[in-house]
Amino acid sequence: MTNWTLLQILEKYPFALAYFEQNKLDIAGYEDRTLEEYLDHFSELELEDQALDKEKILSDFPVYIEQMQSFLGVEDKNQVSSLTILAGHDKSGVAEGFEELTILTSQIISIVGPTGSGKSRLLADIEWAAQNDTPTGRSIHINGEVPDNKWRFSSNNRLVAQLSQNMNFVMDLTVQEFLNMHAVSRLVENPQSVIEEIIKAANNLAGEKFDLTTPVTSLSGGQSRALMIADTAILSSSPIVLIDEIENAGIDRKKALELLVSSDKIVLMATHDPLLALMADKRIIIKNGGISKVIHTSEKEKELLVELEKMDSLIQHARQELRLGSHLSTEILS
């Protein structure tokens, strides 16, 4: 960073502008210089009058950048390229039916099994980066290594964004205020443009549209889920997304997954929906609290998925017609 111009620094770390402003450093007109070159333009008298300690600024500035990265999770998102699950055992102590499973960014993994079989326990093991210290005895590695404790215990570095079945807001805020609060906390350069991107993406997922003036407490379950999925994809720094039964959300499931994957996130979803299970690159089969096997989605299954999507589209159309008060007939089959 010592050889970077001030412009390059601000393009990479927009929050650095706050450091310059707090230290009353007017860098306008000096953007093509390095920080050291900029400080060199001050005379000794100017440095003394403004109480500027050149050496201290040069040593403090990288520390500030590092601390802000840690707080915002800016670099963590880009650094996580893989998640590895190392086998543990089921509720009876029997070893799981695999040795290790590595998942890369932009991959989708579905988790299937009967109700109560242990899908949520697997999600919890991932969320807390288990190290053979949970009931399953599993271990989680990040980028092929034992994760740093910041992933497990720091409130500022969240490895996982989890979208649960029930999402209810209790804050008395509009959608605009809610998104602005999150955007400002992330110190994004242009909060309003990000907010507009999120609301557009959310309405692309939701069955019923809403706008920035809508109170978050009045959002339906589907609208709430659509808002949080869009917010997670566009604004969250968490590199891994865990979704529990997205099929019950009242949103466009396929578009939701495409949005999350396009953000270079690792997506794991617990589901009972055959469409979602087959949309995944692989599926984890849970039995008796353990992973019994891992199945790669085959070409024949992908062909079947196309037919299932046609059937699902028909059902969704029929559901929409019923909501509008229409009479259904066999004509919808044609």
Side-chain angles (χ1 to χ4, degrees):
M1 193 191 304
T2 56
N3 295 323
W4 289 14
T5 66
L6 294 173
L7 180 60
Q8 289 174 319
I9 291 173
L10 291 175
E11 287 176 345
K12 178 70 174 178
Y13 310 112
F15 53 79
L17 183 60
Y19 177 89
F20 299 134
E21 292 175 346
Q22 290 166 7
N23 286 278
K24 299 179 180 179
L25 298 173
D26 183 4
I27 62 172
Y30 297 91
E31 291 87 351
D32 60 343
R33 302 191 189 185
T34 66
L35 178 58
E36 184 171 7
E37 288 171 343
Y38 164 71
L39 294 173
D40 282 342
H41 96 276
F42 289 104
S43 67
E44 290 296 328
L45 182 59
E46 288 173 323
L47 290 173
E48 184 176 345
D49 286 344
Q50 298 183 44
L52 296 176
D53 185 332
K54 176 183 171 181
E55 297 304 321
K56 188 174 189 302
I57 291 173
L58 290 174
S59 63
D60 286 353
F61 183 65
V63 176
Y64 170 84
I65 294 294
E66 183 178 350
Q67 290 176 341
M68 287 301 294
Q69 282 180 289
S70 178
F71 174 72
L72 297 172
V74 174
E75 289 300 306
D76 295 330
K77 174 183 174 183
N78 297 325
Q79 288 177 354
V80 174
S81 59
S82 70
L83 162 74
T84 300
I85 305 171
L86 303 179
H89 52 78
D90 66 14
K91 293 177 182 177
S92 302
V94 177
E96 293 185 295
F98 77 113
E99 291 186 4
E100 66 177 59
L101 170 63
T102 296
I103 309 164
L104 306 177
T105 53
S106 296
Q107 283 191 329
I108 302 173
I109 304 296
S110 61
I111 305 169
V112 300
T115 300
S117 60
K119 297 189 294 297
S120 295
R121 177 68 263 173
L122 173 57
L123 295 180
D125 283 353
I126 295 169
E127 182 175 15
W128 294 104
Q131 294 301 306
N132 195 26
D133 53 2
T134 68
T136 64
R138 296 185 188 112
S139 292
I140 304 298
H141 285 183
I142 302 299
N143 297 338
E145 300 177 348
V146 174
D148 190 284
N149 280 339
K150 69 181 179 183
W151 291 122
R152 308 194 70 195
F153 306 119
S154 172
S155 60
N156 295 328
N157 294 275
R158 300 302 297 167
L159 177 66
V160 166
Q162 184 157 1
L163 301 171
S164 61
Q165 295 182 51
N166 300 309
M167 306 193 71
N168 298 313
F169 291 98
V170 295
M171 296 178 290
D172 186 20
L173 299 172
T174 64
V175 172
Q176 167 78 36
E177 291 168 335
F178 171 75
L179 293 176
N180 186 69
M181 182 173 62
H182 191 189
V184 170
S185 73
R186 288 287 168 195
L187 295 182
V188 297
E189 191 170 3
N190 190 341
Q192 191 57 39
S193 67
V194 173
I195 289 169
E196 290 171 0
E197 183 183 0
I198 292 172
I199 191 70
K200 181 180 179 181
N203 276 317
N204 191 40
L205 303 179
E208 185 178 354
K209 308 300 182 186
F210 59 100
D211 59 37
L212 293 173
T213 64
T214 305
V216 293
T217 52
S218 70
L219 295 175
S220 68
Q223 290 172 327
S224 297
R225 184 71 72 95
L227 177 62
M228 292 312 300
I229 287 174
D231 179 85
T232 297
I234 296 169
L235 197 52
S236 173
S237 64
S238 299
I240 301 170
V241 180
L242 305 182
I243 307 175
D244 197 2
E245 299 192 17
I246 194 176
E247 61 266 31
N248 297 329
I251 62 172
D252 190 313
R253 299 158 294 179
K254 186 174 183 179
K255 288 181 180 178
L257 293 178
E258 289 173 347
L259 177 63
L260 291 166
V261 168
S262 68
S263 303
D264 294 327
K265 295 183 184 291
I266 294 171
V267 180
L268 296 100
M269 55 180 177
T271 183
H272 297 290
D273 187 335
L275 272 79
L276 291 174
L278 295 183
M279 283 179 191
D281 302 282
K282 303 173 187 176
R283 60 186 182 272
I284 295 172
I285 313 302
I286 304 287
K287 291 182 181 179
N288 193 33
I291 297 175
S292 65
K293 55 185 173 180
V294 178
I295 300 176
H296 291 253
T297 304
S298 68
E299 289 302 319
K300 287 187 176 180
E301 288 177 325
K302 291 178 182 177
E303 293 173 6
L304 174 60
L305 176 61
V306 174
E307 298 303 315
L308 289 174
E309 287 178 330
K310 292 178 182 178
M311 295 167 60
D312 183 65
S313 178
L314 180 63
I315 293 171
Q316 296 298 330
H317 175 66
R319 180 179 290 122
Q320 183 63 20
E321 290 299 307
L322 286 172
R323 287 172 175 166
L324 295 174
S326 304
H327 289 280
L328 298 185
S329 68
T330 55
E331 292 180 1
I332 67 170
L333 299 175
S334 59

